[in-house]
Amino acid sequence: MKTGKTVITDPFWLRYRSLVRHEMIPYQWKVLNDEIDVRIERERNDPSIPNEKSHALENFRIAAGIHEGHHYGWVFQDSDVYKWLEAVAWSLMEEPDEDLKKLADSVVDLIALAQEPDGYLGTYFTIEEPDRKYKSLMNSHELYCAGHFMEAAAAYYEATGSRKVLETAKKLAAHIERELGPEGTFGYDGHEEVEIGLMKLYHLTGEERYLRLGSYFLRIRGTDADFFGDQQKTDSGSEPLIGGMGVFSRRYFQAHRPPVQQDTAEGHAVRMVYLCTAMADAAASEGDKEMLEACRRIWRNIVDRRMYITGGIGSTVHGEAFTFDYDLPNDTMYCETCASVGLVFFASQMLRSESIGEYGDVMERALYNTVLAGTALDGKHFFYVNPLEVNPSASMWDPGKSHVKPVRPQWLGCACCPPNLARLLASVDRYIYTVKDDRCLVNLYISSETEVPVSGGTARITQETDYPKSGTVRIRVGAPENGAFDLGLRIPGWSRTYGVTLDGAAADESSFENGYFYIRKLAGEHEIVLNLGMKPRLYKADPRVRADLGKAAMTRGPLVYCLEEADNGKDLHLLSIDPAGEVQEEEEKGELGDIIRITAAGKRIREPEETERLYRSADESAVQEETVRLRFIPYYTWANRGSNEMCVWVRTI
Amino acid sequence: MKTGKTVITDPFWLRYRSLVRHEMIPYQWKVLNDEIDVRIERERNDPSIPNEKSHALENFRIAAGIHEGHHYGWVFQDSDVYKWLEAVAWSLMEEPDEDLKKLADSVVDLIALAQEPDGYLGTYFTIEEPDRKYKSLMNSHELYCAGHFMEAAAAYYEATGSRKVLETAKKLAAHIERELGPEGTFGYDGHEEVEIGLMKLYHLTGEERYLRLGSYFLRIRGTDADFFGDQQKTDSGSEPLIGGMGVFSRRYFQAHRPPVQQDTAEGHAVRMVYLCTAMADAAASEGDKEMLEACRRIWRNIVDRRMYITGGIGSTVHGEAFTFDYDLPNDTMYCETCASVGLVFFASQMLRSESIGEYGDVMERALYNTVLAGTALDGKHFFYVNPLEVNPSASMWDPGKSHVKPVRPQWLGCACCPPNLARLLASVDRYIYTVKDDRCLVNLYISSETEVPVSGGTARITQETDYPKSGTVRIRVGAPENGAFDLGLRIPGWSRTYGVTLDGAAADESSFENGYFYIRKLAGEHEIVLNLGMKPRLYKADPRVRADLGKAAMTRGPLVYCLEEADNGKDLHLLSIDPAGEVQEEEEKGELGDIIRITAAGKRIREPEETERLYRSADESAVQEETVRLRFIPYYTWANRGSNEMCVWVRTI
């Protein structure tokens, strides 16, 4: 059962979707086509990011035999094109456009031309090392790229009905099945993704072979003694496909044990959540309880011990990876945009198996904070790394923080994040509802219109809200008169007070279950009004999180707030907040968009005189403080006013 | 004018000096000679530390033509032998030993044999790339090694009168002067040290040419447009001498501007303080005010903004370097043992120009904390990196902290620190006094006997003290009856109360000046008693030090204290100290030696129930605390009871 088309009418999200359509897609097209002289922001002292241009489309032209030349860029450069194509697909579903469709069709044609007659698709190996196909799966990203193409193809077929894109994807899937499926050579990709792509093909076509193949890759992973190492030993290629990757352990690839036996979130964070997304999809699609249990364990580990309050994941730049429980440093972390995109995917898939509000809470947390912070308000600058604390001097002078940028670069040497962000923003309508067995969960509050299939016909659901500015959501339902479906309203974990009315009368409070408030057995026309308390609230972290001890984070509704130097002056660490002080909300329409600014009572330690010593006897060194108002802005709007300090966690008085 | 021989009689220091003589020197000899199967503790994921054995002496045998083979190890491997030889020299001065002298003489013979007829000395280039001599000075460490040999030679000549060692050093100096001196090719070493060695030759021989050459290198440094880069371009060698060094800027080498124009401590910390040591020596030896001013500026920058409370320097592992003002993270820093050794050198040289107690304070701080922490109490395990906060889980699972070892390795792939430590401990008697123009400064309080030259003859000074356990120092002076010299007692910056008696009567308090309390115009026999208040004291850092805000460090006298898991349980960050609480001192003779343990009133946050969420509303998340006694040990004794957590800075209640 699939939800029908959802039309977003929400100003907050229409702005982002318009950015995707009118800024990101055209801009990223030019980047992929080398039409823009992008000043790539290189990681300081990091020779592992060599790219000065994209060349991604040119690689396809060369592989297709249209142009002569060599492959340029990462071995996974193709995936940038696929993610762009997927974003286009979602955007075309929202708003058809013949010119954009023609452009995208030409890309599909190019991809099909670059595909080899046997179905193989991968420009690096076609152009440079045809004999090395599938022979260095630890780093080759061949199945990773294939998975992204399958995802793009499924979306593009849905958007346009293009047979060509679907046939190309099916031919590729068949090639992979033949070469690496249960009857082929043993092997799986170092970067999970093909499993997701295969599931998408399965959901689109209903053909079980794709589900089986995806599930097969999930099941063989980590069952080997040392598959990657063995392949490396016999690898005929002279050069490592990605420099510096030899040092990572099997844990980095989530290959230290079979996924179904894993308990904790390990290694490269994007890989981990892509794996989880596929596992949760397989668990829901196959009804596999053991797989679901593994998903639950890893979910608990992430959400209880390894996730930032912004929904960011990945505590270290080294391997862009998880580290250990409660290790959540705010100024050296990674929190890759792609990882939070993946966390949204994972949460969404879990909702297919379990109607638990926490999945929606985390989805919302990641989406409204880290994912949105991944793009500048102009839609043309992007973060790969999303810090919770930034000092531009540290980014400049401490090489251990050089990956933490105080401003969003125009593009990134490893350009996975911008198109990943684009495809999620363009498809955010797909995450609003989860529909299953006459139950429709409302996960996200976004003004929109949709139709969902229920017993007896179709239910029409309309949301009207000014969320997240306002906590009032007006939902009109038109259900079949002879039908009866349950509507579950997510009551966010952050919401201390809420009220639900059904046709003007208070709804039955006993209907709350696992984070959802249910209006049961709906039939006919109804109006439901949800009121969520949106008072600003301070949060504290578990005291085992060393970095946050003695600190608090300001939030309002789903939004995490932060302090910026632009509003609060330099040396943000000298500020502290009075948890008992007065908090004010101010609506503001300005350079940060239409936001609620929060001010709170606080103090600032005065900088000592220059004559003071660096270390002073404690009883002689009472700090001088002055009373100040702290000015908070939503985290997703930070770094839109030039390079400056920022912090989410503020010392408490 | 030179101080005479000082004989240390102090139990605290005799133990260390005995360790040097009976543990470090024999142990390090075996390591250098590959007689011990040392399990090298490699840096995790750090392929830049390739050494699995020392091979340092074998390199000399091969260069000398005694054995066949290839050079192995770092390009600066020779310096390990020189620093060992220097430690032997100091130790022989303390206590002659024919067997040890014979062994050392054989090393001198070997070095002389490895020297080329023209005076060149450097086993890597002699063996592997004779055509590349002095052609890649950015990384070759040729002058660095030469400087260490000159230091060793000066000490060994003083200890034994060996003409051979002196002639070898002079021949080497002459070669360098000919090739790279004012009349030779322009060039200076990427790692400062030869300047120190040349000064040592100058002080020993009185020959001005060594002072001039050392001073020349100081003056030409950084005057070029891009000397290192230009050399790299024409370098005939195929391989970089040290991998990964290409990414460092001129600042790393203190070559971004001439030293005399530098204001801040930049780049590799050991290089910086070695440079400063030579600059301060040149300033004192040549009476160069401009050079002295530069030393003062850099000193102020280090001491006011870039030095840890332990006397550690170098805030980042990346380039083992300084970063920026007030950036003093406790758990990712470097604080290399060698850097604090160099800081002792720098301070000692400054005292030759200026009788300012702060130089002695910092010397003492570095010596009693970071330098001593560089060795295990057994004298056979060594730290390269001296953290102020360690969590073994972080060292294991966060690659950004993998350089922070929770226990001292047996040896180090880059083995600069153990012999550097040995030579300083073996020569600590040289740092007790500064004698100049009838003024004798007592910088360190160490039971000892010495004779110093003063007008009219020789003054005998005897110190008796149980410092740093006790703050009472009894000093007996026997000065010429017709002489009159001033004795300056350093009153440490940490000492809040002190008293001085001269022959039983309170001394004139007006005699305090710039950190020294002077007993003036001493003649004949006198007894002076200094009493320094040794009450434990909490220190706070300047609030601009983000890492230490809201925290305090326990100290007692010159010793910084720390908490260890062995005494306080896991999760040390959950502990806080009550600055107003009762503090107790307990004498203890046990596995940590003869120490004063400190206990203080504090609290421990209870770990929350497993069911609690990672992030909780601040008004619902009051932490549960219990009252505890915090148990502190001297920092220099940490990590002698297995792998465990440690921290210096403790949250205050």
Side-chain angles (χ1 to χ4, degrees):
Chain A
M1 190 181 294
K2 288 160 58 185
T3 55
K5 185 174 161 65
T6 300
V7 177
I8 287 182
T9 57
D10 189 293
F12 184 90
W13 286 100
L14 283 181
R15 201 190 78 80
Y16 276 105
R17 288 159 76 89
S18 173
L19 274 184
V20 171
R21 178 59 164 271
H22 301 293
E23 298 294 344
M24 291 188 200
I25 287 175
Y27 178 78
Q28 292 180 13
W29 167 260
K30 287 179 186 164
V31 171
L32 295 173
N33 211 25
D34 302 324
E35 288 172 19
I36 288 181
D37 179 22
V38 179
R39 190 174 66 85
I40 306 264
E41 296 281 331
R42 296 173 65 112
E43 305 290 312
R44 286 200 337 140
N45 295 350
D46 186 352
S48 70
I49 299 193
N51 299 4
E52 298 289 351
K53 60 183 174 183
S54 168
H55 207 258
L57 282 160
E58 188 65 11
N59 289 337
F60 279 97
R61 290 186 201 105
I62 295 164
I66 298 168
H67 286 178
E68 301 255 307
H70 281 283
H71 181 278
Y72 177 90
W74 294 102
V75 70
F76 49 81
Q77 207 82 343
D78 294 357
S79 63
D80 294 346
V81 174
Y82 302 147
K83 279 187 276 190
W84 177 86
L85 182 64
E86 189 185 334
V88 169
W90 297 116
S91 193
L92 286 176
M93 284 186 245
E94 184 192 6
E95 181 192 341
D97 178 313
E98 260 319 298
D99 288 344
L100 182 58
K101 179 174 174 299
K102 265 186 203 158
L103 188 68
D105 278 343
S106 77
V107 170
V108 171
D109 290 344
L110 180 61
I111 294 167
L113 272 175
Q115 186 172 40
E116 300 195 20
D118 64 358
Y120 182 84
L121 180 58
T123 67
Y124 175 79
F125 292 93
T126 296
I127 298 170
E128 302 293 341
E129 300 197 83
D131 294 338
R132 206 178 174 186
K133 288 172 193 163
Y134 299 151
K135 288 189 178 147
S136 187
L137 287 169
M138 181 170 86
N139 291 331
S140 76
H141 286 73
E142 286 161 291
L143 305 190
Y144 168 83
C145 288
H148 273 303
F149 179 60
M150 292 174 201
E151 286 205 82
Y156 197 67
Y157 177 79
E158 195 180 330
T160 66
S162 161
R163 299 298 310 171
K164 190 167 209 170
V165 81
L166 184 59
E167 289 314 316
T168 307
K170 289 170 87 165
K171 197 168 154 189
L172 170 59
H175 184 266
I176 292 169
E177 186 181 42
R178 207 158 57 238
E179 295 292 324
L180 296 167
E183 314 295 314
T185 309
F186 180 93
Y188 53 87
D189 200 278
H191 197 317
E192 302 89 335
E193 163 61 31
V194 73
E195 300 83 355
I196 297 176
L198 286 164
M199 302 288 171
K200 290 275 174 83
L201 277 191
Y202 161 68
H203 294 306
L204 179 73
T205 65
E207 290 183 45
E208 294 268 347
R209 61 189 286 197
Y210 303 124
L211 173 61
R212 279 201 304 272
L213 183 58
S215 181
Y216 166 76
F217 285 130
L218 293 178
R219 273 159 224 291
I220 64 166
R221 191 175 200 86
T223 57
D224 51 288
D226 186 16
F227 162 63
F228 290 144
D230 293 344
Q231 264 209 332
Q232 292 297 97
K233 277 177 215 143
T234 57
D235 181 16
S236 58
S238 54
E239 293 280 322
L241 292 167
I242 301 181
M245 291 289 286
V247 299
F248 290 115
S249 68
R250 287 162 64 87
R251 195 174 289 268
Y252 171 85
F253 305 99
Q254 299 79 44
H256 53 301
R257 63 176 69 158
V260 77
Q261 293 173 22
Q262 295 185 23
D263 304 315
T264 52
E266 302 294 344
H268 187 266
V270 175
R271 296 172 200 237
M272 183 78 236
V273 285
Y274 278 20
L275 170 63
C276 288
T277 300
M279 287 168 71
D281 195 337
S285 302
E286 297 182 317
D288 182 332
K289 295 269 181 261
E290 200 188 359
M291 191 69 92
L292 182 62
E293 263 314 318
C295 289
R296 284 181 180 140
R297 289 194 304 271
I298 300 168
W299 175 270
R300 286 258 62 80
N301 182 248
I302 293 175
V303 171
D304 292 346
R305 303 183 176 198
R306 301 190 180 190
M307 180 184 72
Y308 288 85
I309 195 168
T310 52
I313 47 175
S315 293
T316 178
V317 58
H318 302 275
E320 312 179 340
F322 289 100
T323 54
F324 58 103
D325 288 349
Y326 303 111
D327 182 46
L328 295 162
N330 293 308
D331 56 350
T332 56
M333 77 301 97
Y334 211 60
C335 290
E336 183 178 340
T337 307
C338 283
S340 289
V341 168
L343 189 55
V344 171
F345 297 159
F346 180 21
S348 173
Q349 288 296 340
M350 289 303 283
L351 280 165
R352 290 178 55 214
S353 289
E354 307 189 296
S355 299
I356 294 177
E358 188 186 58
Y359 298 124
D361 287 1
V362 170
M363 187 197 294
E364 181 179 71
R365 186 188 287 278
L367 184 63
Y368 280 87
N369 297 290
T370 299
V371 172
L372 288 188
T375 174
L377 295 172
D378 68 5
K380 288 189 280 196
H381 297 79
F382 305 96
F383 274 139
Y384 197 114
V385 172
N386 293 281
L388 283 81
E389 181 178 325
V390 169
N391 175 2
S393 295
S395 296
M396 176 72 82
W397 295 112
D398 176 358
K401 292 177 184 157
S402 64
H403 64 293
V404 182
K405 307 286 181 213
V407 285
R408 292 172 186 82
Q410 274 193 292
W411 193 248
L412 302 148
C414 174
C416 54
C417 296
N420 217 353
L421 184 70
R423 68 176 181 137
L424 176 57
L425 297 182
S427 61
V428 73
D429 49 281
R430 302 291 171 121
Y431 298 87
I432 300 177
Y433 299 103
T434 301
V435 182
K436 189 179 160 192
D437 302 336
D438 277 345
R439 165 178 282 191
C440 175
L441 303 178
V442 189
N443 304 313
L444 299 176
Y445 296 112
I446 295 177
S447 295
S448 56
E449 294 170 15
T450 195
E451 288 188 346
V452 300
V454 294
S455 316
T458 298
R460 190 175 21 79
I461 304 175
T462 306
Q463 286 193 52
E464 271 177 35
T465 180
D466 203 12
Y467 194 88
K469 273 174 67 181
S470 154
T472 301
V473 187
R474 191 174 302 272
I475 298 171
R476 287 197 304 278
V477 174
E481 286 299 339
N482 57 342
F485 85 102
D486 294 350
L487 188 73
L489 307 175
R490 183 173 62 87
I491 306 301
W494 49 259
S495 171
R496 184 168 300 188
T497 60
Y498 70 94
V500 182
T501 61
L502 175 62
D503 298 324
D508 179 7
E509 283 186 28
S510 67
S511 303
F512 182 84
E513 191 185 323
N514 283 333
Y516 286 93
F517 188 100
Y518 290 95
I519 314 289
R520 300 201 194 271
K521 306 212 178 296
L522 279 167
E525 302 279 329
H526 295 282
E527 184 177 81
I528 298 150
V529 178
L530 169 66
N531 267 299
L532 296 169
M534 299 293 272
K535 217 169 137 255
R537 280 173 80 183
L538 281 177
Y539 272 75
K540 289 203 166 190
D542 187 298
R544 284 168 288 205
V545 180
R546 290 170 192 240
D548 299 339
L549 196 62
K551 296 181 178 177
M554 180 65 79
T555 68
R556 183 180 178 280
L559 299 181
V560 173
Y561 276 64
C562 66
L563 297 176
E564 265 200 319
E565 182 183 335
D567 303 310
N568 298 280
K570 273 196 175 298
D571 288 329
L572 296 178
H573 73 287
L574 296 177
L575 296 170
S576 57
I577 188 165
D578 179 0
E582 185 202 13
V583 174
Q584 285 179 327
E585 298 164 73
E586 296 166 11
E587 193 160 352
E588 179 180 298
K589 291 182 187 180
E591 54 187 339
L592 301 181
D594 183 3
I595 60 163
I596 304 285
R597 191 187 281 277
I598 295 175
T599 68
K603 290 196 173 165
R604 170 183 275 280
I605 295 173
R606 288 212 186 96
E607 291 204 358
E609 301 294 324
E610 280 303 316
T611 54
E612 293 234 26
R613 284 164 183 264
L614 185 55
Y615 303 106
R616 302 147 201 175
S617 188
D619 51 6
E620 291 169 352
S621 67
V623 292
Q624 301 293 316
E625 289 187 308
E626 57 196 353
T627 300
V628 291
R629 288 297 290 175
L630 304 181
R631 295 171 63 74
F632 291 89
I633 57 167
Y635 176 75
Y636 77 86
T637 68
W638 89 275
N640 279 287
R641 295 174 294 177
S643 175
N644 76 163
E645 284 186 46
M646 182 278 289
C647 75
V648 167
W649 290 98
V650 184
R651 283 186 308 115
T652 51
I653 288 174
Chain B
M1 192 181 291
K2 288 161 58 185
T3 54
K5 185 173 161 68
T6 300
V7 177
I8 287 182
T9 57
D10 189 293
F12 183 90
W13 286 101
L14 283 181
R15 202 190 78 79
Y16 276 105
R17 287 158 75 88
S18 172
L19 274 184
V20 171
R21 179 58 165 271
H22 302 292
E23 297 294 344
M24 292 187 199
I25 287 174
Y27 178 78
Q28 292 179 14
W29 168 259
K30 287 180 186 163
V31 171
L32 295 174
N33 212 23
D34 302 325
E35 289 173 20
I36 288 182
D37 181 22
V38 178
R39 192 174 65 86
I40 307 262
E41 297 280 331
R42 295 172 66 111
E43 305 289 312
R44 286 200 338 140
N45 296 349
D46 186 352
S48 70
I49 299 192
N51 298 3
E52 299 288 351
K53 60 183 174 182
S54 168
H55 207 259
L57 282 160
E58 188 65 11
N59 289 336
F60 279 97
R61 291 188 200 104
I62 295 164
I66 298 168
H67 286 179
E68 301 255 309
H70 281 282
H71 182 277
Y72 177 91
W74 294 101
V75 70
F76 51 82
Q77 207 82 343
D78 294 357
S79 64
D80 294 346
V81 174
Y82 301 146
K83 280 187 276 190
W84 176 87
L85 182 63
E86 189 185 333
V88 168
W90 297 116
S91 193
L92 287 175
M93 283 187 244
E94 185 191 6
E95 181 191 340
D97 178 313
E98 260 318 298
D99 288 344
L100 182 57
K101 180 176 173 300
K102 265 186 202 158
L103 189 67
D105 278 343
S106 76
V107 171
V108 171
D109 290 345
L110 181 60
I111 294 167
L113 272 174
Q115 186 171 42
E116 300 194 19
D118 65 359
Y120 182 85
L121 181 57
T123 66
Y124 175 79
F125 294 91
T126 297
I127 298 170
E128 302 293 341
E129 301 196 83
D131 293 339
R132 206 178 175 187
K133 288 172 193 162
Y134 300 150
K135 287 188 179 146
S136 186
L137 286 168
M138 180 171 86
N139 290 332
S140 76
H141 286 74
E142 285 162 289
L143 305 191
Y144 167 84
C145 287
H148 272 303
F149 179 59
M150 292 174 199
E151 286 205 83
Y156 197 68
Y157 176 79
E158 195 179 330
T160 66
S162 160
R163 298 298 309 171
K164 191 167 209 171
V165 80
L166 185 58
E167 289 312 317
T168 306
K170 289 171 86 165
K171 197 169 155 190
L172 170 59
H175 185 265
I176 292 168
E177 186 181 43
R178 207 159 54 240
E179 297 292 323
L180 296 167
E183 314 292 314
T185 309
F186 180 93
Y188 53 88
D189 201 278
H191 197 317
E192 301 89 335
E193 162 63 29
V194 74
E195 300 83 355
I196 298 176
L198 287 164
M199 303 285 172
K200 290 276 173 82
L201 278 190
Y202 162 67
H203 294 307
L204 179 73
T205 65
E207 291 183 44
E208 294 269 346
R209 60 189 289 196
Y210 303 124
L211 174 61
R212 278 201 305 272
L213 184 57
S215 182
Y216 167 77
F217 284 129
L218 292 178
R219 273 159 225 290
I220 64 166
R221 191 174 200 86
T223 58
D224 50 289
D226 186 17
F227 163 63
F228 291 144
D230 293 344
Q231 264 209 332
Q232 292 296 97
K233 276 177 215 142
T234 58
D235 181 17
S236 59
S238 54
E239 294 279 322
L241 292 166
I242 301 182
M245 291 288 286
V247 298
F248 289 116
S249 69
R250 287 161 65 88
R251 195 174 290 269
Y252 171 86
F253 305 100
Q254 300 78 44
H256 53 301
R257 63 175 69 157
V260 78
Q261 293 172 21
Q262 295 184 22
D263 305 315
T264 52
E266 302 295 343
H268 188 266
V270 175
R271 296 174 200 236
M272 184 79 236
V273 285
Y274 278 19
L275 170 63
C276 288
T277 299
M279 287 168 72
D281 195 337
S285 301
E286 297 182 316
D288 183 331
K289 295 271 180 260
E290 200 188 358
M291 192 69 93
L292 182 61
E293 264 312 318
C295 288
R296 285 181 180 140
R297 288 194 305 271
I298 300 168
W299 175 270
R300 285 258 63 80
N301 181 247
I302 292 175
V303 171
D304 292 345
R305 303 183 176 197
R306 301 190 179 189
M307 180 184 73
Y308 287 86
I309 194 168
T310 52
I313 47 175
S315 295
T316 178
V317 58
H318 302 275
E320 312 179 342
F322 290 100
T323 53
F324 58 102
D325 288 349
Y326 303 111
D327 182 46
L328 295 162
N330 293 308
D331 56 350
T332 55
M333 75 302 96
Y334 211 61
C335 290
E336 184 177 338
T337 307
C338 284
S340 289
V341 168
L343 188 56
V344 171
F345 296 159
F346 180 21
S348 174
Q349 288 297 339
M350 289 303 283
L351 280 165
R352 290 178 55 214
S353 290
E354 308 189 296
S355 300
I356 294 176
E358 188 186 57
Y359 298 124
D361 287 0
V362 170
M363 188 197 293
E364 180 179 72
R365 186 189 287 278
L367 184 63
Y368 280 88
N369 298 289
T370 299
V371 172
L372 288 187
T375 174
L377 294 172
D378 68 5
K380 287 190 280 197
H381 297 79
F382 305 95
F383 273 139
Y384 198 114
V385 172
N386 294 279
L388 283 82
E389 181 178 324
V390 169
N391 175 3
S393 295
S395 296
M396 177 71 83
W397 295 112
D398 176 359
K401 292 176 184 156
S402 63
H403 65 291
V404 182
K405 307 286 181 213
V407 285
R408 291 173 187 81
Q410 274 193 292
W411 194 248
L412 302 148
C414 173
C416 53
C417 296
N420 217 353
L421 184 70
R423 70 178 179 135
L424 176 57
L425 297 181
S427 61
V428 75
D429 49 282
R430 301 290 170 122
Y431 298 87
I432 301 178
Y433 300 103
T434 301
V435 181
K436 189 178 161 192
D437 303 336
D438 277 345
R439 166 177 283 189
C440 175
L441 303 179
V442 189
N443 304 314
L444 298 177
Y445 296 112
I446 295 177
S447 296
S448 56
E449 295 170 16
T450 193
E451 289 188 345
V452 300
V454 295
S455 314
T458 298
R460 189 173 23 76
I461 305 175
T462 306
Q463 286 193 52
E464 271 176 36
T465 181
D466 204 12
Y467 194 88
K469 273 176 66 182
S470 153
T472 301
V473 187
R474 190 173 303 271
I475 298 170
R476 288 197 304 279
V477 175
E481 286 299 339
N482 57 344
F485 85 103
D486 295 349
L487 189 73
L489 307 176
R490 183 174 61 88
I491 307 302
W494 50 258
S495 170
R496 186 169 301 190
T497 61
Y498 70 94
V500 183
T501 62
L502 175 61
D503 299 323
D508 178 7
E509 282 185 29
S510 67
S511 303
F512 182 84
E513 191 185 322
N514 283 334
Y516 286 92
F517 188 100
Y518 290 95
I519 315 288
R520 301 201 194 269
K521 306 212 177 296
L522 279 167
E525 302 279 330
H526 296 282
E527 185 177 84
I528 298 150
V529 178
L530 168 67
N531 268 298
L532 295 170
M534 299 293 272
K535 216 170 137 255
R537 280 173 81 183
L538 281 178
Y539 273 75
K540 291 203 165 190
D542 186 298
R544 283 168 290 206
V545 181
R546 290 169 192 241
D548 299 339
L549 196 61
K551 296 180 177 176
M554 179 65 80
T555 68
R556 183 181 178 281
L559 300 181
V560 173
Y561 276 64
C562 66
L563 298 176
E564 265 200 320
E565 181 183 336
D567 303 310
N568 298 280
K570 271 195 178 298
D571 288 329
L572 296 178
H573 74 286
L574 296 178
L575 296 170
S576 57
I577 188 165
D578 178 0
E582 186 202 12
V583 174
Q584 286 179 328
E585 299 164 72
E586 296 167 11
E587 193 161 350
E588 179 181 298
K589 291 181 188 183
E591 55 187 339
L592 301 182
D594 184 3
I595 61 163
I596 305 285
R597 192 188 281 275
I598 295 174
T599 66
K603 291 196 171 163
R604 172 183 274 280
I605 294 173
R606 288 213 186 97
E607 290 204 358
E609 302 293 325
E610 280 303 316
T611 53
E612 293 232 27
R613 283 164 184 262
L614 185 53
Y615 302 106
R616 302 145 201 176
S617 189
D619 51 6
E620 292 170 351
S621 66
V623 292
Q624 302 292 316
E625 290 187 308
E626 57 197 353
T627 299
V628 292
R629 289 298 289 175
L630 305 181
R631 295 170 64 74
F632 290 89
I633 57 169
Y635 176 75
Y636 77 86
T637 67
W638 89 276
N640 278 288
R641 294 174 293 178
S643 175
N644 76 162
E645 284 185 45
M646 182 277 290
C647 75
V648 168
W649 291 97
V650 184
R651 284 186 307 116
T652 50
I653 288 174

